[in-house]
Amino acid sequence: MALLIKNGEIVTPSQRYVADILCDNEVIARIDRRISPPPGAEIIDAKGKFVFPGFIDPHVHIYLPFMGTFSKDTYTTGSQAALVGGTTTLIEMCCPSRKDDALQSFELWMKQAVGKSACDFSFHMGVTKFDDSTAEQLREIVRRGISSFKIFLAYKGAFGVDDAELYRTLKLARELGVIVTAHCENETLVAERQKELLAAGKTDPAQHHESRPPAVEAEGVHHLMTFAELTGAATYIVHLSCKEALDQAIVARQRGVRVTVETLIQYLTLDKSYAEKPRFEGAKYVMSPPLRDRANQAVLWNGLRDGLIQTVATDHAPFDFKSQKPMGKDDFTKIPNGIPSLEERINLLYTYGVKTGKIDLHTFVNVASTQVARTFDLFPRKGAIQPGADADLVVFDPNYRGKISVRTQHMNVDYSAFEGWKIEGRPSLVTVRGQVAARDGKFVGQLGHGKFLPRRPSHF
Ligand code: URP
Ligand code: ZN
Ligand code: ZN
């Protein structure tokens, strides 16, 4: 059935205008000031509302075996949460352990999503070892529609690669035109500092940020930049949290290193004092890199505004407060790392970014949708409002007022890191390829409607 969205104010990175949008056969069929409804079309009145391209979260974990447990969402719960929050495409990190084969792992991750997800999806292929068979498996995964890899400079003994593996991965990526996303923290420094803190009897959640100060992240970025410069590979720094790390990326970019920077909604809105909350509450806010001093928030917002930082993700990694975070009750190094936020990214970015004047509406759309699509070979199928693009649209009500609460969220986790926070504006209608998937905070879509999005490498 066709869908006609009338009188909405369309916002893209470069345009803002009022028009009707006709969606048919999964794509945007026509955009015009006045379109007469075809017979049988559903009509949505979007007067007084914005219409944004469907938002894309470039960094999520749905299926994540990690730190002796599993993250809580599945594609059933995660895709519903994403859609209610205006995110219509997920790019998940496929994270094999060092024991596992890349190709088998890719198939395992794919199986979690196909037939279950209500939103569209793709994967960054995690390269967690590089042995004799890895290159051929990665080539095959690229042939199957993956155009980005993921490497970890952190998590020694789990996902972390050594320098030879890093070098080989980047060389292969350069040859294939694949972009390499990277978690940048010096794993040796983290391990040494963790040992020192524990030996001094410092075991509480607040020690997490003491073990991974900004210099640890900045060193990781500097390290990656050296390897990127020597190989010529295109790189993407995930979850950048602080000024020191951003400085390293900017300096490298200025000398010609190919680097894109992602920050997270958590770093833009939360600071390390949350991880210092008493009675183990701080564990809700343990993630890596850790939450930072508040002063970094202005650096990150300004970085988005000035184009020094290109995307905003969530790194969604939900672990229950009651049953999983306590794995690290007596040892902060065992607290499962992650702050859930998949459902709230867009509402928080709008409320605390656009409404406060830190970024404008065009930047908002760009960093959470269009630029993500461009970077990860999804544009203009995704991230665009133009004829022929997938009809993934967010009709956004700027007059909505509400509060975030665990009681109303769709994410399958027992707390909200933003409990009680005010929201000014939210999606009133969300479509995935022309099918309505969410209305006013409720999921009304179809599980299994989500498709794998094959991508072709472009970073040659
Ligand atoms: O704390 C985090 N970031 N958890 C998820 C795993 C990762 O490093 O992305
Ligand atoms: Zn990470
Ligand atoms: Zn992650």
Side-chain angles (χ1 to χ4, degrees):
M1 186 176 63
L3 180 74
L4 181 61
I5 300 175
K6 288 194 75 67
N7 298 313
E9 187 172 0
I10 296 169
V11 184
T12 71
S14 57
Q15 287 182 304
R16 188 170 170 173
Y17 59 104
V18 174
D20 296 351
I21 304 176
L22 179 65
C23 310
D24 202 9
N25 278 326
E26 302 206 339
V27 298
I28 295 174
R30 218 180 123 199
I31 304 173
D32 224 322
R33 182 59 198 94
R34 267 185 201 88
I35 301 176
S36 311
E42 179 179 353
I43 302 169
I44 304 292
D45 182 13
K47 195 168 178 356
K49 295 180 178 154
F50 296 122
V51 184
F52 301 128
F55 292 100
I56 307 168
D57 195 331
H59 182 172
V60 300
H61 301 274
I62 302 294
Y63 175 67
L64 179 64
F66 184 47
M67 297 184 75
T69 185
F70 289 83
S71 60
K72 280 292 303 296
D73 270 315
T74 61
Y75 270 88
T76 303
T77 56
S79 63
Q80 293 187 48
L83 286 163
V84 166
T87 295
T88 52
T89 297
L90 300 177
I91 312 183
E92 191 191 359
M93 300 291 173
C94 172
C95 296
S97 82
R98 280 178 73 84
K99 292 193 301 296
D100 299 324
D101 272 344
L103 192 51
Q104 273 177 3
S105 301
F106 173 63
E107 287 167 352
L108 174 65
W109 256 258
M110 185 75 108
K111 229 166 65 190
Q112 312 301 315
V114 172
K116 295 175 191 138
S117 183
C119 65
D120 287 351
F121 57 90
S122 181
F123 302 95
H124 304 294
M125 186 61 221
V127 183
T128 48
K129 67 174 172 195
F130 202 105
D131 62 19
D132 291 346
S133 70
T134 304
E136 197 31 58
Q137 293 187 42
L138 291 174
R139 285 177 198 279
E140 175 58 21
I141 289 166
V142 171
R143 283 192 286 274
R144 292 190 192 183
I146 295 299
S147 67
S148 47
F149 295 157
K150 168 70 185 289
I151 50 134
F152 292 87
L153 305 188
Y155 305 133
K156 211 179 179 71
F159 301 138
V161 289
D162 66 27
D163 282 353
E165 293 170 318
L166 172 61
Y167 184 64
R168 288 177 199 151
T169 305
L170 289 173
K171 271 182 61 172
L172 180 69
R174 172 80 175 109
E175 179 199 323
L176 298 176
V178 159
I179 186 166
V180 180
T181 72
H183 176 137
C184 297
E185 286 182 298
N186 182 304
E187 60 181 7
T188 307
L189 286 173
V190 172
E192 288 303 306
R193 292 178 68 89
Q194 285 177 336
K195 273 188 252 164
E196 284 167 11
L197 288 160
L198 291 176
K202 298 182 174 176
T203 60
D204 61 291
Q207 304 309 320
H208 178 73
H209 52 246
E210 299 302 326
S211 70
R212 317 170 94 102
V216 165
E217 187 181 347
E219 198 289 326
V221 172
H222 182 269
H223 201 81
L224 180 76
M225 294 298 90
T226 305
F227 282 63
E229 185 165 21
L230 287 171
T231 56
T235 56
Y236 176 99
I237 297 166
V238 299
H239 52 41
L240 183 131
S241 71
C242 60
K243 179 180 186 305
E244 289 83 345
L246 181 60
D247 286 347
Q248 292 298 326
I250 293 169
V251 166
R253 191 181 284 145
Q254 279 169 347
R255 62 176 197 270
V257 178
R258 300 164 75 189
V259 58
T260 299
V261 174
E262 165 196 288
T263 191
L264 304 182
I265 194 63
Q266 295 93 320
Y267 301 135
L268 290 163
T269 53
L270 301 168
D271 62 61
K272 72 180 190 186
S273 66
Y274 286 85
E276 292 164 355
K277 283 180 177 238
R279 291 179 298 281
F280 200 61
E281 277 280 304
K284 293 177 178 173
Y285 298 91
V286 165
M287 66 173 301
S288 297
L291 299 176
R292 302 296 188 190
D293 282 336
R294 198 165 194 82
N296 287 283
Q297 290 179 3
V299 174
L300 299 177
W301 284 113
N302 291 342
L304 288 170
R305 199 187 54 213
D306 297 343
L308 299 172
I309 299 174
Q310 285 75 34
T311 64
V312 176
T314 59
D315 190 10
H316 180 65
F319 296 100
D320 271 346
F321 178 61
K322 288 216 177 77
S323 62
Q324 291 177 297
K325 294 279 184 181
M327 292 166 70
K329 191 97 188 85
D330 304 312
D331 175 352
F332 70 92
T333 69
K334 298 196 167 68
I335 300 170
N337 286 199
I339 304 179
S341 53
L342 175 57
E343 194 162 342
E344 310 300 353
R345 176 183 63 138
I346 297 308
N347 293 344
L348 288 167
L349 194 61
Y350 182 81
T351 303
Y352 297 95
V354 177
K355 289 289 285 183
T356 58
K358 293 188 176 75
I359 55 171
D360 65 20
L361 264 184
H362 301 290
T363 304
F364 165 72
V365 171
N366 200 34
V367 300
S369 177
T370 308
Q371 190 53 41
V372 178
R374 286 185 189 280
T375 304
F376 293 117
D377 308 309
L378 290 168
F379 188 85
R381 179 174 178 187
K382 304 294 188 189
I385 299 185
Q386 63 187 48
D390 278 0
D392 295 359
L393 296 166
V394 176
V395 177
F396 191 88
D397 179 4
N399 295 315
Y400 172 81
R401 296 291 178 270
K403 279 189 181 167
I404 295 174
S405 175
V406 67
R407 289 190 301 281
T408 47
Q409 76 188 10
H410 295 75
M411 300 179 291
N412 182 33
V413 61
D414 68 355
Y415 75 100
S416 170
F418 303 96
E419 188 67 41
W421 283 42
K422 283 196 191 120
I423 286 301
E424 301 188 3
R426 75 167 181 189
S428 63
L429 183 105
V430 180
T431 67
V432 179
R433 284 177 281 104
Q435 197 176 100
V436 177
R439 283 183 205 264
D440 300 317
K442 301 240 167 1
F443 174 71
V444 296
Q446 190 191 333
L447 293 171
H449 175 69
K451 277 190 188 160
F452 170 66
L453 300 168
R455 300 182 287 129
R456 292 243 300 274
S458 65
H459 294 275
F460 290 100

